[in-house]
Amino acid sequence: MFLRIGVFKTYCFINFLMDNLHGRKYTKVLEKNLFDITWSPTRFKIAETCERQYYYNYLTYPKPIAPIFPDMAFGIFTHIMFEKFFRPFDYKDPEKAGKPKYKSAKTFTNAFFGEWKRRIHAPKKEGGFGPVRWKDKDEPYSRWGTIIRDLGPTIYERYVKEGPALFVELTLPVLLIDGIKLFVKMDEIRSKLIVRDHKTRAHEISDVVLRYDVQSTVYNGAVSFWSAENNEFGRKIGADEDDLARLKEDPLHLYRKITFQHHYLQTGYVKEGEKRIIKIIDAPKKDDAQFINFENSAIKIEDRLRTGEFLPNYGNHCDRCIFKERCDDDSRKNIATYIPQQLEFFRQAKKIAPVRERTVGQMKFKFPDSEKVKKEVEKQLEMFR
């Protein structure tokens, strides 16, 4: 039955049942302290774009059922394939560590496509994508299968030539910087102070966007602060002794030196006979003003979220929001998205509950869980020693 009516209609039907049988209990607000928000670049971008989208994504349970777009599924998938490209260290066969798992570009491309097909049909707990907004049942194979066959050989050649990164999918400890909490997970860190992020996009990103991109600002800052905290990590990624000495007085020193790269994989339309673009794009170097502007923006957004009211911000971005149908439905039915207790507190309280100390621009930082993460970093370094 569900195969006949399609994934999207099934999603609408399930939402209808939950609305009517459970009185929207699934939108119950999570027990979250809005005075203790931890930012990632993704969370920040969502909250900056639309507070209601932030509400659906992070403050409700279970999260409203929302099929993702095909390019989102492909982006998730390519990150997994990059992460598994090289063999990790194995005491039984240490000589294979850091070598490709695939013998040729052809075997890699075939494995790439085979794993893609498996994940399309697999349940989420087995690595599947969950509901996806395919245009038709052939799209995963006709369009995205063609893209995989186009990209596979070039990806293989590039990675064999470059070799493994120092760190893959590295999670740094939560950083408390000037009263703001940050959490980052980076695709790759390579030698010579290179931080790389994989991007599957229809069109190449411009230098202007890269210059002010909050992701590169946060990543560069987090790596610089962690190098100031853990000098051994700084040495591993390419900082010299002079850099480490400067970090003691200026924890943003490496932030200005790090090269942030977009590994761009073109997924848009290409003319017959043309090759898909795969290229490394170096972002312009960062300056202190961008990090301080991020801090100020984060504080303003936190203050808005703490009111407990999450208003929609309508615009072109709505067409790319996975919660658009749910948001429109809530608006039509005049269902407000807010946290009653939080809203009431802000309306009646004479004194706002104490918040973290704000010291924007002073670069006062600490890593509350640094010892635990140091061990995880050492584990990753063992993989390709």
Side-chain angles (χ1 to χ4, degrees):
M1 170 187 165
F2 291 121
L3 290 175
R4 276 206 307 270
I5 63 176
V7 173
F8 185 71
K9 290 183 179 178
T10 303
Y11 143 74
C12 294
F13 177 67
I14 292 171
N15 268 347
F16 170 80
L17 284 180
M18 298 185 83
D19 284 356
N20 288 277
L21 297 180
H22 299 288
R24 287 193 182 270
K25 285 183 183 177
Y26 72 108
T27 58
K28 126 181 126 174
V29 177
L30 289 171
E31 295 295 325
K32 292 214 175 184
N33 180 6
L34 291 180
F35 288 94
D36 189 21
I37 297 172
T38 300
W39 292 114
S40 67
T42 301
R43 284 188 176 221
F44 178 84
K45 287 178 182 177
I46 288 175
E48 187 180 42
T49 303
C50 179
E51 293 165 17
R52 182 177 275 187
Q53 185 183 359
Y54 181 90
Y55 173 86
Y56 290 141
N57 227 324
Y58 302 113
L59 297 176
T60 58
Y61 180 81
K63 189 188 295 187
I65 299 169
I68 62 174
F69 291 95
D71 56 330
M72 294 179 182
F74 188 74
I76 294 167
F77 176 67
T78 51
H79 280 70
I80 295 167
M81 293 302 292
F82 286 133
E83 184 181 359
K84 297 181 176 180
F85 189 90
F86 292 101
R87 296 182 186 276
F89 180 78
D90 186 345
Y91 286 101
K92 295 179 182 177
D93 198 354
E95 292 184 1
K96 288 186 177 180
K99 293 182 179 178
K101 292 181 181 178
Y102 313 94
K103 293 181 179 179
S104 66
K106 183 178 180 180
T107 56
F108 169 69
T109 304
N110 289 340
F112 198 178
F113 186 51
E115 183 63 12
W116 169 252
K117 288 193 292 185
R118 186 191 75 78
R119 288 178 184 268
I120 288 169
H121 300 289
K124 206 158 189 180
K125 63 182 179 181
E126 295 177 13
F129 307 118
V132 181
R133 300 167 187 253
W134 305 116
K135 290 180 182 176
D136 53 59
K137 64 180 181 180
D138 294 326
E139 186 187 1
Y141 313 101
S142 58
R143 183 187 171 193
W144 296 99
T146 301
I147 290 172
I148 287 171
R149 286 188 283 271
D150 289 348
L151 295 176
T154 311
I155 291 173
Y156 181 84
E157 290 165 13
R158 179 185 296 282
Y159 265 66
V160 167
K161 183 178 179 181
E162 287 189 328
L166 292 172
F167 300 100
V168 178
E169 297 296 327
L170 177 65
T171 300
L172 289 185
V174 172
L175 164 64
L176 185 60
I177 168 70
D178 293 340
I180 299 161
K181 287 176 84 172
L182 290 178
F183 166 83
V184 298
K185 183 175 181 180
M186 290 167 285
D187 292 347
E188 290 184 2
I189 297 183
R190 293 184 167 266
S191 57
K192 299 182 181 178
L193 299 175
I194 291 174
V195 175
R196 182 177 293 177
D197 191 66
H198 305 303
K199 293 293 181 189
T200 54
R201 297 171 57 92
H203 305 289
E204 189 175 325
I205 195 166
S206 70
D207 280 351
V208 175
V209 173
L210 277 175
R211 183 182 300 279
Y212 300 106
D213 178 44
V214 72
Q215 186 180 40
S216 56
T217 299
V218 171
Y219 282 8
N220 284 21
V223 170
S224 189
F225 286 116
W226 181 235
S227 299
E229 174 81 5
N230 182 358
N231 284 181
E232 188 58 31
F233 174 80
R235 290 188 186 95
K236 291 287 184 185
I237 66 172
D240 57 31
E241 295 305 314
D242 180 56
D243 290 326
L244 298 176
R246 291 190 182 191
L247 283 172
K248 293 178 181 177
E249 299 297 325
D250 177 14
L252 273 185
H253 171 65
L254 285 186
Y255 163 84
R256 306 178 200 100
K257 291 187 69 174
I258 290 168
T259 300
F260 182 86
Q261 296 181 336
H262 268 206
H263 184 200
Y264 167 60
L265 288 80
Q266 184 186 21
T267 58
Y269 172 76
V270 292
K271 294 178 181 177
E272 190 174 347
E274 290 185 356
K275 286 189 71 174
R276 289 192 180 277
I277 298 171
I278 300 180
K279 63 191 290 190
I280 303 295
I281 305 171
D282 289 355
K285 296 292 185 182
K286 293 292 179 180
D287 61 50
D288 295 12
Q290 289 160 13
F291 196 86
I292 293 170
N293 285 339
F294 162 73
E295 289 188 332
N296 280 314
S297 297
I299 288 170
K300 288 178 182 177
I301 293 171
E302 284 186 19
D303 288 342
R304 288 205 307 271
L305 295 181
R306 287 186 182 124
T307 64
E309 191 168 22
F310 303 88
L311 300 175
N313 175 34
Y314 289 108
N316 294 338
H317 53 267
C318 292
D319 290 335
R320 292 287 301 163
C321 177
I322 62 173
F323 300 110
K324 182 179 185 302
E325 289 80 13
R326 174 60 192 274
C327 179
D328 289 345
D329 190 49
D330 280 349
S331 295
R332 280 191 294 268
K333 295 176 180 176
N334 201 24
I335 296 174
T337 44
Y338 67 98
I339 302 175
Q341 305 91 329
Q342 191 85 9
L343 192 58
E344 192 63 24
F345 170 79
F346 267 80
R347 284 174 177 167
Q348 296 184 5
K350 293 180 181 178
K351 291 184 179 179
I352 294 178
V355 295
R356 295 189 298 270
E357 180 187 2
R358 301 300 191 182
T359 54
V360 170
Q362 295 184 28
M363 302 305 151
K364 293 183 179 179
F365 74 97
K366 64 180 179 180
F367 291 89
D369 301 320
S370 61
E371 289 306 315
K372 178 183 175 184
V373 176
K374 280 181 185 177
K375 293 178 182 177
E376 292 298 319
V377 168
E378 287 303 314
K379 260 191 210 175
Q380 284 218 30
L381 283 174
E382 285 281 312
M383 288 177 67
F384 304 120
R385 63 183 182 173

